[in-house]
Amino acid sequence: RKEVEQDPGPFNVPEGATVAFNCTYSNSASQSFFWYRQDCRKEPKLLMSVYSSGNEDGRFTAQLNRASQYISLLIRDSKLSDSATYLCVVNRRDDKIIFGKGTRLHILP
Amino acid sequence: NAGVTQTPKFRVLKTGQSMTLLCAQDMNHEYMYWYRQDPGMGLRLIHYSVGEGTTAKGEVPDGYNVSRLKKQNFLLGLESAAPSQTSVYFCASSYMLGGSETQYFGPGTRLLVL
């Protein structure tokens, strides 16, 4: 089993819809969690950190469920510009950083 | 403030040739990383550095060497390129290692080995 797993997609979602991704991790020593966004042929960029209490940034909401070992990303009122690959990233207590393979999102006009 | 820059942006090599990829950051970060990204494989850590003069192996270090002679620069070397090293290479840096620290990535170097 991969340490960090994501549904590769693609998720084809009409503009304005709400879409949610999950990411599961297997190492209970995982300490901190992030969502990165990667546009086609570009570098990954931090979208948001994921806190135990959950956090929201505009149309984006991230949540962490330590008991079930998954994090989620919710995008409301999706825009064409949200089309990208979303990478789940887990930092372990031994300082190892594990990237998921990413979930591709296509927002359809 | 340029962030993380990488040189070159694109390169074609023949099998057996050597080359060096340069990564530079102007954020005074201690930690620097080299990743490769292949379709269906996600980002994989090649080598990383926790400070000037130090380097460590990551997940896929074979066939690569690195050096961190200056804090702001992290070089990735391929001594004898192989077609399996065709990939997109990303450099990243962070202020701290792991923990709650985020990474800042360079724009990538696309390498094709024929």
Side-chain angles (χ1 to χ4, degrees):
Chain A
R1 183 185 171 187
K2 295 289 183 185
E3 188 162 349
V4 175
E5 291 198 81
Q6 297 182 249
D7 183 339
F11 284 55
N12 296 310
V13 174
E15 191 175 9
T18 296
V19 60
F21 313 132
N22 276 350
C23 166
T24 59
Y25 61 94
S26 59
N27 192 323
S28 59
S30 300
Q31 177 174 312
S32 51
F33 309 87
F34 306 88
W35 284 104
Y36 279 70
R37 171 195 169 125
Q38 186 173 24
D39 293 299
C40 187
R41 300 179 70 80
K42 298 285 188 181
E43 72 272 24
K45 291 183 179 178
L46 178 69
L47 178 65
M48 59 198 305
S49 303
V50 187
Y51 304 121
S52 296
S53 55
N55 48 304
E56 188 173 313
D57 183 2
R59 298 181 293 108
F60 298 83
T61 300
Q63 291 193 314
L64 166 65
N65 185 318
R66 284 193 184 273
S68 300
Q69 295 188 186
Y70 74 86
I71 67 173
S72 63
L73 178 67
L74 181 78
I75 306 175
R76 289 181 298 278
D77 187 24
S78 54
K79 313 290 184 192
L80 294 175
S81 58
D82 294 333
S83 296
T85 296
Y86 290 83
L87 306 175
C88 168
V89 181
V90 174
N91 289 0
R92 297 186 342 201
R93 286 201 182 91
D94 61 357
D95 293 332
K96 285 211 168 120
I97 303 168
I98 312 296
F99 282 80
K101 294 182 182 179
T103 296
R104 286 184 295 144
L105 174 64
H106 296 156
I107 304 299
L108 307 173
Chain B
N1 191 333
V4 181
T5 58
Q6 292 183 231
T7 309
K9 288 186 168 51
F10 179 70
R11 184 78 183 268
V12 179
L13 287 179
K14 293 181 180 177
T15 296
Q17 287 185 315
S18 63
M19 78 165 292
T20 300
L21 283 68
L22 171 63
C23 175
Q25 52 94 5
D26 61 2
M27 296 175 283
N28 201 33
H29 284 167
E30 288 292 336
Y31 302 93
M32 298 186 74
Y33 315 81
W34 274 108
Y35 292 92
R36 60 178 289 174
Q37 188 174 38
D38 303 291
M41 297 296 293
L43 280 158
R44 291 184 292 170
L45 184 64
I46 304 171
H47 286 280
Y48 65 100
S49 169
V50 301
E52 183 178 319
T54 71
T55 62
K57 293 181 180 179
E59 180 186 355
V60 288
D62 294 342
Y64 305 95
N65 57 75
V66 287
S67 63
R68 184 99 180 266
L69 298 179
K70 293 182 179 180
K71 185 177 183 178
Q72 64 267 35
N73 295 338
F74 195 28
L75 278 63
L76 178 71
L78 286 73
E79 289 187 350
S80 179
S84 61
Q85 294 178 304
T86 292
S87 189
V88 180
Y89 291 86
F90 287 104
C91 176
S93 70
S94 64
Y95 183 66
M96 291 176 61
L97 184 67
S100 61
E101 191 64 22
T102 61
Q103 294 185 315
Y104 297 84
F105 284 83
T109 294
R110 282 164 178 76
L111 176 66
L112 174 62
V113 183
L114 302 175

